[in-house]
Amino acid sequence: MRNMLCWCRLWLLGALLLVGFIPFADASATETVRVGVLKFGTVNWELDTIKHHKIDEKHGVNVDIRFFAGEDATNVALMAGEVDFIVSDWLWVSRQRASGEDLTMFPYSTSVGALMVPAASPIKTLADLKGKKIGVAGGPIDKSWLLLQGLARKEKTGDLAADNDIAYGAPPLLAEKAQQGELDAVLNFWHYCARLEAAGFRRLVSANDAAEALGASGPVSALGYIFHEGWANDHPDAVAGFMAASTEAKVLLGSSDEEWVRLAPVIKAEGQALTVLRDRYREGIPNRAIEDEEKDAAALYAVLADLGGEKLVGSSKTLMPGTYWRAK
């Protein structure tokens, strides 16, 4: 069944390429695209695949990887024109567009965090969390945390933030505390969840589960490659080439187990941890039409605007037009 699902996703990626969601690039000319990423982020797995197999050259671009220490630094670099692409979320893009910026994005991954509990934990539902100590990565207005709170509200199982002892912290610290038994449950970023899963934890509920319960028709790409619309209009071949290279790398990562063995030193995982990371990554490969992604993002935006308020979405109560890129 897993192989069937994997090949179904790959077929859909190919179909999106053929119908124009990911345009074909002209490989006759090479243009450098500067991609800003966190030095140890999961985006490096895809970029390493692109560079190792020279997939960028095949599609007429030269991917120049620029490393940064934190997400804020990549955001500043993009806004300052020091890089052409970064990876961030659609909420940030919409907020920037509402303030007059011309940022836009194309989907990178639907992988999101999940509430994890030890395998032997008596916690089976959100209602069982009442009075428990929960670790939350990303802070009080993290999208995944807000969606889970929205789900609890919908299911009338209480107020997750008010009814529990919440410990906000850095993802690696929370993962460590969870394994030491200092937390009853932990909401972490997807790759930390995968490592916890390999260590014997189980998923209670994921942010994608919450999103679909709150109105999404399928998995929404939480993250995308972000770039300036004006720059894209001036460099259409560079955008097309990079999008095509990203898609081809995902196809390879979705089909080749050997590629994951090659990437093991980059991922810093082996054995069961590498296997779970591979499988969870593959589940996060986007395979839906851009129109469906955008429609669901708009529906979730309304939910998040209600839960997170202006601190999260800024002045706009709706998803801004142009958040998702469409080639002219």
Side-chain angles (χ1 to χ4, degrees), residues 183-200:
L183 300 170
D184 297 300
V186 60
L187 172 63
N188 216 324
F189 299 161
W190 80 266
H191 49 295
Y192 288 100
C193 290
R195 292 179 188 273
L196 285 172
E197 189 176 351

Side-chain angles (χ1 to χ4, degrees), residues 105-177:
M105 62 165 276
F106 66 87
Y108 163 70
S109 175
T110 68
S111 294
V112 290
L115 264 174
M116 307 294 294
V117 297
S121 171
I123 298 171
K124 304 296 182 184
T125 68
L126 290 180
D128 298 331
L129 287 170
K130 192 168 185 177
K132 304 298 185 182
K133 186 169 185 179
I134 305 174
V136 176
I141 58 172
D142 174 75
K143 292 193 308 300
S144 295
W145 178 228
L146 291 174
L147 289 171
L148 288 171
Q149 290 180 67
L151 176 60
R153 178 189 296 182
K154 180 180 179 180
E155 294 181 346
K156 299 181 179 179
T157 57
D159 186 326
L160 286 180
D163 296 344
N164 300 286
D165 179 11
I166 308 302
Y168 298 105
L173 176 62
L174 291 176
E176 182 179 350
K177 294 296 184 182

Side-chain angles (χ1 to χ4, degrees), residues 13 16 21 90 105-111 208 215-224 283-301 319 323-326:
L13 279 169
L16 291 175
F21 173 48
W90 49 266
M105 62 165 276
F106 66 87
Y108 163 70
S109 175
T110 68
S111 294
N208 272 336
S217 62
V220 178
S221 294
L223 299 174
E283 289 176 2
I285 296 176
N287 58 23
R288 299 202 299 154
I290 197 72
E291 292 79 11
D292 294 333
E293 288 263 8
E294 190 169 34
K295 180 179 178 181
D296 283 344
L300 293 178
Y301 190 100
L319 186 75
T323 295
Y324 285 83
W325 167 253
R326 287 177 173 80

Side-chain angles (χ1 to χ4, degrees), residues 88 93 148 233:
S88 191
V93 175
L148 288 171
N233 290 333

Side-chain angles (χ1 to χ4, degrees), residues 11-287:
W11 181 88
L12 284 169
L13 279 169
L16 291 175
L17 182 63
L18 290 173
V19 301
F21 173 48
I22 304 296
F24 287 102
D26 178 6
S28 61
T30 300
E31 185 170 358
T32 295
V33 293
R34 302 163 299 171
V35 184
V37 294
L38 303 184
K39 189 167 185 179
F40 301 107
T42 60
V43 184
N44 288 298
W45 309 348
E46 179 175 303
L47 296 178
D48 185 279
T49 301
I50 289 173
K51 296 302 292 184
H52 180 80
H53 296 283
K54 299 182 178 180
I55 298 173
D56 53 344
E57 296 177 22
K58 174 182 176 181
H59 293 285
V61 293
N62 170 43
V63 172
D64 178 11
I65 304 170
R66 308 285 181 91
F67 294 114
F68 293 87
E71 184 178 355
D72 288 344
T74 64
N75 294 351
V76 170
L78 178 66
M79 301 303 281
E82 295 176 4
V83 296
D84 304 311
F85 293 94
I86 65 170
V87 169
S88 191
D89 64 69
W90 49 266
L91 261 178
W92 185 70
V93 175
S94 181
R95 180 167 182 160
Q96 293 301 314
R97 290 188 75 87
S99 65
E101 298 292 341
D102 70 337
L103 297 187
T104 187
M105 62 165 276
F106 66 87
Y108 163 70
S109 175
T110 68
S111 294
V112 290
L115 264 174
M116 307 294 294
V117 297
S121 171
I123 298 171
K124 304 296 182 184
T125 68
L126 290 180
D128 298 331
L129 287 170
K130 192 168 185 177
K132 304 298 185 182
K133 186 169 185 179
I134 305 174
V136 176
I141 58 172
D142 174 75
K143 292 193 308 300
S144 295
W145 178 228
L146 291 174
L147 289 171
L148 288 171
Q149 290 180 67
L151 176 60
R153 178 189 296 182
K154 180 180 179 180
E155 294 181 346
K156 299 181 179 179
T157 57
D159 186 326
L160 286 180
D163 296 344
N164 300 286
D165 179 11
I166 308 302
Y168 298 105
L173 176 62
L174 291 176
E176 182 179 350
K177 294 296 184 182
Q179 292 186 81
Q180 292 172 349
E182 296 182 28
L183 300 170
D184 297 300
V186 60
L187 172 63
N188 216 324
F189 299 161
W190 80 266
H191 49 295
Y192 288 100
C193 290
R195 292 179 188 273
L196 285 172
E197 189 176 351
F201 280 62
R202 59 179 168 83
R203 291 185 167 208
L204 184 66
V205 60
S206 76
N208 272 336
D209 295 333
E212 293 190 29
L214 293 170
S217 62
V220 178
S221 294
L223 299 174
Y225 280 110
I226 316 300
F227 50 102
H228 286 279
E229 190 173 9
W231 176 85
N233 290 333
D234 292 337
H235 301 82
D237 291 341
V239 176
F242 182 62
M243 290 172 73
S246 171
T247 299
E248 184 169 332
K250 285 185 173 69
V251 170
L252 180 59
L253 290 167
S255 60
S256 171
D257 292 349
E258 290 75 17
E259 186 63 14
W260 286 89
V261 174
R262 185 192 71 78
L263 281 171
V266 177
I267 299 171
K268 294 182 173 20
E270 58 185 15
Q272 182 64 11
L274 183 64
T275 298
V276 178
L277 283 162
R278 178 198 69 196
D279 292 347
R280 292 302 185 189
Y281 175 94
R282 287 174 172 174
E283 289 176 2
I285 296 176
N287 58 23

